[in-house]
Amino acid sequence: PSLISLKQNCPRWIGAMATQAKWRPYLQRAGEIAAHQPVVAHFCRLHAIELMMKARQSGNTSPELEKQLLGELGEAEAAKKTLNIASAQGQSTTESFALRVFDGADAADHAARDRESQAAVFQKFYAAALFLDVCAQFYDGELPPDLAEKARYARFRVVQIREGLKQGVPSYPEAPSADASASAEAPAPAALGASSLAPQLPPAAISAASPAVISSTTHSAPTTSQREEARKQTEMASSALDFGDVATARKSLLEALRVLG
């Protein structure tokens, strides 16, 4: 293909890859656990199918998507006949499994004391977040507060541990505290509210990062430490977007702007 053709099609290819990345992890988990957790694998596939259908309805479709969607629908239909499970049973089995994975990740996180063990925790929390996402299909697409909080915390720790591994600085979980402001140094998912599971960004910091305030004030050049902190926050935002966690990404970017002044 010509260079002009490649340039014209590049945005479409990138968009297609980004769209596929939304459901690919769930299909991967389904394949990994199909042998010993067929019920959970089935609902992982159904969650991926739901994401494909949403992409299709929004106009993000392609021959490849149509082919994959038909194939996964066939797999799901075959599994449904083989498993012969009631919806309530499937919900109980899937939620119990997701919570066991989360609890295992949390226990491993508190026991981790070196880079290797933290890398393992990263994978555990990543899987926990995905399995908790799958449970949303039992609640009309929106997790109840208790499961949603665990899913957000799992993502928060994935991002935090990932950044720690990249920087060569261990990232250990903080002890729960009734005073959320005491943990304000680390960015937390926006929807956590008053949760003590993850550090909170105080409202004052958010308002200080308002674009209106930033645009109307003249500041001196940021220091080296400020630039480093801003870079870490933008990397945190990038990691959050890997999970589709726009709220955390937005908060991290606002914090980067606040640090830069």
Side-chain angles (χ1 to χ4, degrees):
S2 66
L3 180 59
I4 294 177
S5 176
L6 288 173
K7 287 183 177 179
Q8 290 175 339
N9 287 300
C10 189
R12 178 174 61 84
W13 291 335
I14 293 175
M17 291 176 63
T19 301
Q20 292 173 16
K22 294 180 180 180
W23 59 74
R24 185 181 297 117
Y26 303 100
L27 293 177
Q28 290 175 339
R29 298 290 87 74
E32 291 169 0
I33 65 174
H36 60 281
Q37 288 288 343
V39 172
V40 180
H42 173 63
F43 285 102
C44 285
R45 177 168 282 106
L46 290 183
H47 185 72
I49 288 173
E50 183 179 356
L51 294 176
M52 291 184 207
M53 296 292 288
K54 288 181 179 179
R56 187 187 189 194
Q57 292 168 1
S58 65
N60 294 326
T61 188
S62 66
E64 293 80 8
L65 171 58
E66 294 295 327
K67 180 179 179 181
Q68 184 178 23
L69 179 56
L70 286 174
E72 296 302 334
L73 284 170
E75 290 277 350
E77 189 62 30
K80 183 178 180 181
K81 294 178 180 178
T82 302
L83 295 172
N84 190 28
I85 56 171
S87 178
Q89 179 188 354
Q91 176 178 351
S92 175
T93 300
T94 305
E95 284 188 9
S96 295
F97 179 78
L99 290 173
R100 287 200 304 273
V101 174
F102 176 86
D103 289 342
D106 194 40
D109 194 19
H110 284 82
R113 287 297 176 267
D114 55 42
R115 183 181 180 86
E116 183 177 349
S117 57
Q118 281 222 310
V121 170
F122 171 91
Q123 296 295 337
K124 292 177 185 293
F125 267 130
Y126 178 69
L130 296 176
F131 289 129
L132 287 165
D133 285 346
V134 168
C135 297
Q137 64 191 283
F138 305 121
Y139 300 93
D140 296 325
E142 185 174 349
L143 288 171
D146 57 335
L147 296 181
E149 183 176 345
K150 291 180 185 298
R152 286 191 294 268
Y153 180 69
R155 281 181 164 78
F156 172 78
R157 285 300 291 149
V158 163
V159 173
Q160 202 173 45
I161 293 171
R162 174 178 173 176
E163 294 308 307
L165 291 173
K166 288 172 63 177
Q167 300 294 330
V169 179
S171 172
Y172 300 119
E174 297 187 15
S177 170
D179 184 6
S181 63
S183 303
E185 294 182 2
L192 274 175
S195 166
S196 62
L197 279 177
Q200 303 293 305
L201 188 66
I206 299 176
S207 61
S210 163
V213 174
I214 294 171
S215 62
S216 62
T217 309
T218 302
H219 299 279
S220 58
T223 64
T224 300
S225 62
Q226 287 175 319
R227 290 197 300 271
E228 176 64 19
E229 178 61 24
R231 184 185 66 79
K232 288 169 61 178
Q233 292 295 337
T234 55
E235 288 181 352
M236 185 81 79
S238 176
S239 297
L241 286 175
D242 288 345
F243 287 98
D245 192 345
V246 177
T248 300
R250 183 183 293 114
K251 179 166 286 187
S252 293
L253 290 174
L254 287 173
E255 176 64 8
L257 291 173
R258 187 193 68 80
V259 170
L260 291 173

